[in-house]
Amino acid sequence: MTDDPEPPPESKLTRSKERWAREGKFLTGKITRPEDQRLPPGQHLTRDWPVLDLGLTPSISRERWRLDVYGAVENPIFWNFAEFSAQPQTQFLSDIHCVTTWSRYDNLWEGLSTRDLLMACRPRDEARFVVLHSHDGYTTNLALEDFAAEDALLAHSWSGQPLEQDHGGPVRLVVPHLYFWKSAKWLQSIEFLDKDAPGYWEVRGYHNRGDPWAEQRYSSD
Ligand SMILES: Nc1nc2c(c(=O)[nH]1)N[C@H]1C(S)=C(S)[C@@H](COP(=O)(O)O)O[C@H]1N2
Ligand SMILES: [Mo]
């Protein structure tokens, strides 16, 4: 008989990670993208990058910008831009799919992955949903497992340059596997909740989840 190796000491973080793994928190397996297909149904490809928003374009410098992470988390966060930039940096290359039918391939984003953010704020057991709050008053909601998708991030740069104000700078969310309205620009705060709380477009007829591969455009879809 061989001795079993000593298990590593239990920490709060490893317990959270185990629980997330058990519950499939980080799995986006419900997205059904066919392997040979890159353009979702009903979309067309564009090479430029349209600007879409409520038309308010808040002007927030990196010096004034703060990120507030609160609600059902063990460790609430309040970072300025320097503290945010001191977190682990990740680059992702991903496609944009907007519900208004344009898609744009190969966007190079850089920032803090949502998984690293989750390691820092540690959602409590009851946390199941996330609401993003933006400086223009915009909100959008996500299930925790969609927020935690492996290629989702809080982006401060695009194509190696600081994210332009028109596109949500200093910092926006990017959740590539859902329609782009879920990717909140001018990010101000992130709220963790035990219950879902539909956001700006979700209460105005857009689908609650917005999977482009299932064409979840409107609440009737
Ligand atoms: N704060 C904020 N974020 C937002 C919006 C908005 O109006 N305000 N519009 C959403 C919509 S509908 C889309 S399609 C994308 C557009 O992002 P872009 O202007 O960088 O293409 O931002 C999303 N995020
Ligand atoms: Mo949109």
Side-chain angles (χ1 to χ4, degrees):
M1 271 208 46
T2 56
D3 286 344
D4 284 334
E6 273 286 307
E10 276 267 300
S11 73
K12 223 166 192 175
L13 179 58
T14 58
R15 281 200 302 276
S16 299
K17 283 177 165 174
E18 282 166 10
R19 179 164 46 80
W20 291 337
R22 243 187 351 263
E23 296 170 359
K25 273 227 155 95
F26 288 166
L27 301 181
T28 57
K30 283 163 281 176
I31 296 283
T32 53
R33 175 185 159 178
E35 258 174 47
D36 56 342
Q37 221 175 297
R38 187 164 178 189
L39 194 64
Q43 297 293 111
H44 68 271
L45 206 50
T46 179
R47 295 195 54 189
D48 58 359
W49 185 7
V51 171
L52 278 97
D53 51 55
L54 305 176
L56 297 170
T57 320
S59 176
I60 317 282
S61 64
R62 284 185 167 186
E63 289 67 39
R64 282 207 301 131
W65 182 83
R66 301 287 183 277
L67 180 68
D68 193 4
V69 181
Y70 66 101
V73 289
E74 301 285 354
N75 186 41
I77 285 170
F78 191 68
W79 282 331
N80 61 27
F81 192 83
E83 292 163 328
F84 169 73
S85 324
Q87 304 306 311
Q89 296 295 298
T90 303
Q91 289 191 349
F92 289 126
L93 191 68
S94 60
D95 299 344
I96 294 172
H97 306 299
C98 174
V99 71
T100 61
T101 76
W102 58 270
S103 291
R104 190 182 186 288
Y105 290 165
D106 290 328
N107 298 275
L108 180 63
W109 304 101
E110 185 176 347
L112 173 66
S113 75
T114 56
R115 291 188 182 188
D116 283 331
L117 177 81
L118 291 167
M119 295 305 163
C121 71
R122 302 198 309 271
R124 288 214 277 269
D125 284 358
E126 66 268 25
R128 288 288 178 276
F129 300 94
V130 177
V131 173
L132 293 310
H133 299 265
S134 297
H135 282 282
D136 57 347
Y138 185 79
T139 57
T140 190
N141 59 310
L142 292 159
L144 183 55
E145 59 268 29
D146 280 325
F147 180 76
E150 66 176 345
D151 54 358
L153 80 165
L154 281 57
H156 57 65
S157 294
W158 178 85
S159 279
Q161 299 295 323
L163 185 62
E164 284 178 23
Q165 185 186 347
D166 275 350
H167 288 298
V171 177
R172 78 177 297 163
L173 184 73
V174 179
V175 182
H177 74 290
L178 299 177
Y179 283 126
F180 209 33
W181 86 78
K182 294 289 185 181
S183 294
K185 310 205 282 193
W186 310 296
L187 192 57
Q188 180 173 32
S189 61
I190 305 177
E191 180 181 11
F192 287 79
L193 297 164
D194 58 348
K195 289 190 187 67
D196 202 3
Y200 184 91
W201 285 119
E202 292 83 5
V203 301
R204 287 169 176 79
Y206 280 25
H207 197 277
N208 196 53
R209 181 162 190 235
D211 171 3
W213 299 97
E215 272 208 90
Q216 294 174 339
R217 296 178 193 274
Y218 308 111
S219 47
S220 52
D221 294 337

